[in-house]
Amino acid sequence: MQRRALLLSAAVLPFAAPAFVTAARAQGFTPQNAECIAPAAPGGGFDLTCRLTTRMLAETGIVPQPIRTQNMPGGIGAVAINHINAQRRADPNVIVAVSTGSWVLLSQGRFGRWSENDVRWIGAIGADYGVIAVRRDSRFQTLADLVNQLRADPASVPMGAGGAVGSQDWHKAALVARATGVDPRRMRYVPFEGGGQSMAALLGGHIQVFPGDASEVRGQLEAGEIRLLAVLAANRLPGAFAAVPTAREQGVEVEWPIVRGFYGPPQMPDAAYNYWVEALRRLHAHPAWPEQRAAQGLFEFNLVGAEYEALAKRRTAEFRQLARDVGLVTQSQ
Amino acid sequence: MDTLALLGGGFAVALQPHNLALALVGCVIGTAIGVLPGIGPLNAIALLLPFCLALKLPPESALILLTAVYYGSGYGGRITAILLNMPGEPSAVLTTLDGHPLAKQGRGGAALAISGIGSFVGATISVVLMTFLSVPLAKVAVAFSPADYVALIAFALSLLGAVGGGSAPKAWAAGCLGVLLALVGVDSGTGVERFTGGTLELLGGLEFTVLAIGLFAIGEILLLVESRLRAEAARISGGQRLTAGEVIRCIPTMFRSTAIGFVIGVLPGAGASVASALSYTAEKRLNEANGTFGQGDMRGVAAPETADNAAQIGNLVPMLSLGIPGSGTTAVLLGALLMYSITPGPLLFEQRPDVAWGLIASMYIGNCILLLLNLPLVGVFARLLTVPAWVLYPGVLALSFAGVYAVSNSAFDLLLAIGFGVMGWLFRKLDVPLVPIVLGFVLGRMLEDNLRRAMALSDGNVAELVASPVSVALWAMTGLALLWPSLRLRRR
């Protein structure tokens, strides 16, 4: 295959570069002027993923050379994936920040003609988890209360979160609805600009349910202003969330990890790919990492390499199916 | 009083030498990025944050620095707006209306001074209000529903006709064009792409900075090129310095604008642009008999600048007292707290009083620093105009372009800005006012989002829009504003 041949030739190339003795660990690949693309303006989640992770990789000495963060906003990642595929298909020195939200966009064809098979999935750095939040004086005490009300009259429960219909925030609500046999199209879903405005609307009583993320609701939870009906995780979350049952415990089969991680170009040489996978693996094992990860509002989630790739592809396929089921407007591939 | 004791504790934090130094640094950086049209406080804060972590600054110091950048930018935006007719940030767009005519009359220095004083008054009164009323205010703010926002924004839009200068129909047409430009991108309600022409670059919609740099900076330069760089460039002197009488005449304006700015700022879904637009138009209407708004009225400079800074501080109220960010920039500030393992939220004042009160105290100090920085430097800023126009304007443009490119990393945005520049140049020749375009752009997006939210919440029941007393009052004011010109005609 042509791709194999390219991979081979590209894999040999780094040997020509003057290798630093201490740095040349994984299969002889050493990053040169490595770059982390944050497909958003400075200040967002992607930006944090790049800046904090690369800083940590440098401080711990896992990657000996500093990695530059490059912001590339546009289409919530569409411009970046386009750039990677059009101009840097085999670049071993570039990684791109990615999240579950990107998989949602991929599944709906919003990254142009690029699909989940047009990048190499390197690994996750951590995950935030979806939660179902209500105001402290809400009529809903358990997830079952909410589910029953949704079944009786889905339009009677105004829900809102920080994304449009079809976005990852919407998915949390839609998956809960669907898991209980309610057509997501019949939900009353209100898109806000970001989690902050959604929380304001919840506290102000304009919406009754806010399918938010654990990291963004924590302050209100600790202050007792809101209650969480469920966390959308496989197991209970630690700390302030320990008392909140998972959806699964309450008989609703929904998980919503917002996995943050990196992908590389589609023809990134194996040596480089393995190097980056190994770097993330060592990062996850480093004693200083849990604190840094928590600073990004992330819980432990350490799938890397092939496992991460499998997850990315499986989730994208699931989202594609959901989009089809509920008749979301998707762009033709 | 308890609050005063806590504030005293805050001053103990803020007055530590390193925190004072950081506030000063933040103020300088903030002013600088406010001046440059391409880069805003959000980007600057996001870029500074890793430095704070790398330097191992304690959380209160980092927040003092970053917040100083934030409110410092409110002082910077006016400088290029007044001297060069190029607003450095969204909320300074209104400042061009009277600020630049003043500069052309040789009174650029005076306009800079009054806007500096206005910024200080607006910010400082707002910090006082925040010190004592933070929590109850924030509770009221979250009660503001999407339908109330619709009414508020409709009211702001109804005043567009007043910012057009000459012809009201042209102002309206320009405003509508701005609203149309706001429609570009992925529709927030359904996820459908609108007017993107199939390009990835337009998926996220148009950037405000791109539009503003094009219409104002590039448009201005094209006009200058055409007039061989001579015609109407601002004069450095020839006018009077700012007189005490003028300052006194502006005092009621400043108080009114502070009130408008602070209230709008506290609402998590509005912003400094709405605040400066409302206060400018309010002052224009109030002073119709004795004003020269649009031709260089000091109050036309004081109003938007005062409201802008008041709104910026107001925006911090829900952020600090409830942990709810009202804008992108405050969201990044909250993110900074999170990185220090401090959970932003209602308990911040209890759990980390050093951080919360230290920050508030530093804002009193920071605003004094900014006033002291800005007033003596008025002469220096005004001297910018001694730089020949053929150096100055392309220089500012190059910096703007560099800023836009640094943030977006996209040549597409630069081309877009040039396109808007040609549009701005044509519109100037046709006497189509540019400010309503920009306001329409900012307000149009907010109007649509909130209207759709209100409709989704009420299941399409239009009565929702007038369901609360606040919205009824705002709609009544909107009606009045629309009918005002004809009522006035009849009276004559």
Side-chain angles (χ1 to χ4, degrees), chain B residues 464-484:
Chain B
E464 166 83 8
L465 292 177
V466 289
S468 76
V470 177
S471 58
V472 172
L474 283 165
W475 283 115
M477 283 155 73
T478 307
L480 199 65
L482 289 173
L483 293 175
W484 183 254

Side-chain angles (χ1 to χ4, degrees), chain A residues 35 40-44 47-48 51-52 55 59 70-76 78-79 82 109-112 114 136 155 158-159 163-166 188-193 195-197 199-201 203-207 215-216 218-220 222-225 291 294-297 328-329 331, chain B residues 42-44 46-47 49-50 53-54 56 139 141-146 148 186-193 200-201 203-204 268-270 322-327 331-332 335 338-341 343-347 351 405-410 445 449-450 452-459:
Chain A
E35 193 179 310
D47 189 50
L48 280 182
R51 283 179 205 280
L52 290 188
R55 188 170 66 91
E59 274 181 11
Q70 176 81 60
N71 294 95
M72 193 178 286
I76 330 172
V79 170
N82 202 37
R110 292 192 191 279
F111 281 177
W114 313 114
R136 69 176 163 200
M159 298 191 242
V165 169
R188 189 179 292 176
Y189 178 84
V190 187
F192 286 90
E193 189 126 337
Q197 288 192 9
M199 180 59 84
L203 294 178
H206 311 303
I207 54 174
S215 63
E216 67 187 357
R218 186 175 175 158
Q220 306 295 335
E222 287 180 357
E225 295 288 331
E291 193 192 330
Q296 297 182 51
L328 279 181
V329 188
Q331 311 301 312
Chain B
L42 191 154
N43 311 118
L47 295 172
L49 187 50
L53 293 171
K56 307 244 185 285
K139 294 246 154 100
V142 296
F144 216 74
S145 73
D148 297 333
V186 172
D187 164 25
S188 71
T190 58
V192 178
E193 291 175 24
L200 294 174
E201 285 86 352
L203 269 186
L322 295 183
I324 290 173
S327 65
V332 177
L338 200 65
M339 267 177 236
Y340 281 102
S341 307
T343 311
L347 298 182
Q351 289 172 343
Y405 191 77
V407 171
S408 74
N409 201 17
S410 138
R445 194 172 279 178
D449 287 348
N450 281 295
R452 297 179 81 131
R453 279 171 206 152
M455 289 298 99
L457 282 172
S458 68
D459 215 6

Side-chain angles (χ1 to χ4, degrees), chain B residues 294-369:
Chain B
Q295 288 125 44
D297 193 306
M298 283 296 168
R299 291 167 297 187
V301 181
E305 284 301 315
T306 308
D308 166 28
N309 288 60
Q312 274 194 318
I313 303 289
N315 232 295
L316 295 173
V317 168
M319 171 191 128
L320 281 176
S321 56
L322 295 183
I324 290 173
S327 65
T329 315
T330 47
V332 177
L333 285 173
L334 276 185
L337 283 176
L338 200 65
M339 267 177 236
Y340 281 102
S341 307
I342 297 173
T343 311
L347 298 182
L348 180 68
F349 280 85
E350 288 166 40
Q351 289 172 343
R352 294 302 297 264
D354 54 330
V355 173
W357 287 106
L359 176 64
I360 291 180
S362 85
M363 288 198 267
Y364 285 97
I365 300 168
N367 277 300
C368 295
I369 293 177

Side-chain angles (χ1 to χ4, degrees), chain B residues 204-286:
Chain B
L206 299 170
E207 279 295 321
F208 174 86
T209 44
V210 172
L211 181 67
I213 286 175
L215 285 180
F216 287 93
I218 301 178
E220 186 80 15
I221 287 171
L222 288 174
L223 207 64
L224 274 171
V225 169
E226 192 189 25
S227 62
R228 291 167 184 262
L229 298 172
R230 261 183 280 121
E232 280 207 283
R235 289 182 297 139
I236 178 165
S237 59
Q240 247 183 317
R241 292 172 65 96
L242 186 66
T243 61
E246 280 172 325
V247 177
I248 291 167
R249 228 155 65 98
C250 284
I251 285 175
T253 297
M254 287 181 191
F255 280 116
R256 281 191 294 262
S257 303
T258 302
I260 293 175
F262 186 71
V263 169
I264 304 276
V266 169
L267 299 174
S273 305
V274 182
S276 57
L278 274 182
S279 62
Y280 178 88
T281 43
E283 287 306 313
K284 185 172 176 177
R285 291 267 194 246
L286 278 172

Side-chain angles (χ1 to χ4, degrees), chain B residues 33-40 80 84 86-89 209-210 212-214 216-218 221 392-408 410 413-414 417:
Chain B
I33 58 145
V35 172
L36 295 176
I39 189 159
T80 40
L84 306 176
M86 299 176 182
E89 51 162 358
T209 44
V210 172
I213 286 175
F216 287 93
I218 301 178
I221 287 171
L392 182 62
Y393 283 86
V396 172
L397 182 64
L399 286 174
S400 313
F401 265 30
V404 169
Y405 191 77
V407 171
S408 74
S410 138
D413 278 354
L414 301 183

Side-chain angles (χ1 to χ4, degrees), chain B residues 5 56 124 174 180 217 219 301 305 351 375-376 378 383-384 403 415 421 437 481 487:
Chain B
K56 307 244 185 285
T124 303
L180 287 177
V301 181
E305 284 301 315
Q351 289 172 343
L375 285 188
V378 158
R383 197 129 324 142
L384 261 182
L415 293 174
I437 300 180
L487 287 176

Side-chain angles (χ1 to χ4, degrees), chain A residues 207-278:
Chain A
I207 54 174
Q208 292 179 14
V209 177
F210 167 36
D213 299 340
S215 63
E216 67 187 357
V217 303
R218 186 175 175 158
Q220 306 295 335
L221 177 69
E222 287 180 357
E225 295 288 331
I226 60 165
R227 288 185 286 115
L228 299 186
L229 299 183
V231 293
L232 305 181
N235 300 301
R236 289 197 182 197
L237 299 178
F241 300 97
V244 183
T246 64
R248 185 157 288 166
E249 281 176 52
Q250 303 176 72
V252 179
E253 292 288 317
V254 177
E255 277 179 41
W256 191 262
I258 298 109
V259 181
R260 295 197 171 272
F262 296 104
Y263 69 77
Q267 291 166 12
M268 176 180 256
D270 280 341
Y273 176 76
N274 292 335
Y275 176 91
W276 292 114
V277 170
E278 189 57 32

Side-chain angles (χ1 to χ4, degrees), chain A residues 7 60 62 69 88 94 113 127 137-138 140 144 159 165 168 184 188 195-196 198 211 239 280 286-287 307 325:
Chain A
L7 283 176
T60 53
I62 292 172
T69 291
R88 304 169 77 167
V94 62
R113 55 202 178 88
D137 55 358
S138 165
F140 305 122
M159 298 191 242
V165 169
Q168 56 169 335
R188 189 179 292 176
S198 319
L280 289 187
H286 198 280
E307 286 177 303
D325 288 352

